[in-house]
Amino acid sequence: MESLVEFTISSQNRGDRIDKVITSHCEEYSRSFVQKLVKDGKVIVNGKTVKSNYKVEEQDKVSFVIPEPVELDILPEPMELDILYEDEDIIVINKGKGMVVHPAAGHYSGTIVNGLLYHCKNHLSGINGIMRPGIVHRIDKNTTGAIVACKNDKAHRFIAEQLKEHSITRKYRAIVWNTFKDSNGTIDAPIGRHPTDRKKMAINERNGKHAITHYRVLDNLDGKFAHIECQLETGRTHQIRVHMASIHHPLLGDDVYGSGKNTYKLEGQTLHAMVLGFIHPTIKKYIEFEAPLPAYYLELLGRLQK
């Protein structure tokens, strides 16, 4: 079933591209999904269709129709999903190391979505397009831990709104390079695409999105590392990895933002989404889930604490 989205441009977005504004206003939709809507003439500003390079003005009236999801070509696959919680609206999964959340170029099988399609049958939300059924948010391939998927559009919109308002609880555990003198801190620095390497994110004062990470030091390890808890106030791509690297504490094992050293033969960054909490879309009460630390992480922690 098609759905209509309408909103008015505020002063803070004046001069921004229409696709960027829609993506920031409706974070449940990917940038590529929004750009296709604009290209297909489905985005209307003040009663007229616009191109993707249109720059909005204050009080512009924006509306667009989200088309009915088309039949999915991604195949269901039986797999052992580590399910932390499930009901008629949502499913919370503890994602393993090396698992990709949704299909993309080079990863059309073996993803969380493939497993969800098999497990949930046809009961997944369609808001985020045919490649991401049920997916409200994601974590990186080599990050482990809790993610929530939605079984219907009502639940998807409800949780996506909490993501937009930054009211969802997301606490991560990480092992980072270099010890800390202070016990806690906050990093408030905008994150956007790297100016020269488009595959990376970076602190970007000019074009970055508002990003805040709070961290708490749990333990300094072996004189060279630290075990920390990070709580996200916002949820930008690679946020913890970029923010911690920016204060000279890159994540151990991070081969993109770190030193490149891999003394412990790690598969990517040591980062785990441990706590996930939000208001349930139907019962309207706060619920919280904790994903236990994976075996590799506990084993590494034990070695570094000696």
Side-chain angles (χ1 to χ4, degrees), residues 178-198:
N178 305 319
T179 58
F180 286 83
K181 293 181 180 179
D182 299 325
S183 59
N184 56 70
T186 294
I187 306 168
D188 184 348
I191 292 176
R193 287 290 169 190
H194 192 283
T196 58
D197 187 344
R198 303 303 291 172

Side-chain angles (χ1 to χ4, degrees), residues 217-234:
V217 180
L218 303 174
D219 195 11
N220 282 318
L221 305 168
D222 196 31
K224 293 186 292 185
F225 307 105
H227 188 208
I228 64 172
E229 178 183 84
C230 292
Q231 181 160 355
L232 294 181
E233 189 168 317
T234 55

